[in-house]
Amino acid sequence: MIQDDLKKHSQAIWVHFYKNRMELMALDGTVKAIEILKIPYHHPRMILADFESATTTLKELMKHHSKGFFFFKYTAPIAFVQIMEPIEDYLAKIEIRCFKELFFNAGARQVKLYNLVGNSLEMDND
């Protein structure tokens, strides 16, 4: 569960990922920043269908975390991405890779994906 992982990794970045916005979360569950997408990155069949648009939105969101500096310039934290849209069962491997690449490209050293109730979306839980 995401709460257990947040306790283990207090320096982690926690992002709520919606089809129309991203939210940077504090460890206590409050919203630190919200970034509304300028170009839609979702599609009726996928939450993340436009990688470039999602990259732009993520970079803007992370400016709130780093006070205007590039997101992971000095550290390479773990990113916990909680997808806040209904997902049946698990994500397809291509969807998992897309989400992970999005955060790896921003500088994360590890990315973990969770559903809206906080359970891992990856079958092998790594």
Side-chain angles (χ1 to χ4, degrees), residues 24-25 32 54 76 110 118 126:
L24 181 63
M25 305 300 294
K32 291 169 64 174
Q110 186 178 5
D126 67 357

Side-chain angles (χ1 to χ4, degrees), residues 4 8-9 26 31 38 51 55-56 59 69-70 74 78 88 91 101 106 111 113 118 123 125-126:
D4 296 331
K8 289 182 209 171
H9 304 283
V31 177
K38 292 167 183 54
F51 191 84
T55 298
T56 301
K59 285 181 180 179
F69 296 105
F70 187 66
Y74 301 107
I78 296 171
E88 294 182 31
L91 293 173
E101 289 295 327
V111 180
L113 303 174
M123 295 176 82
N125 290 328
D126 67 357

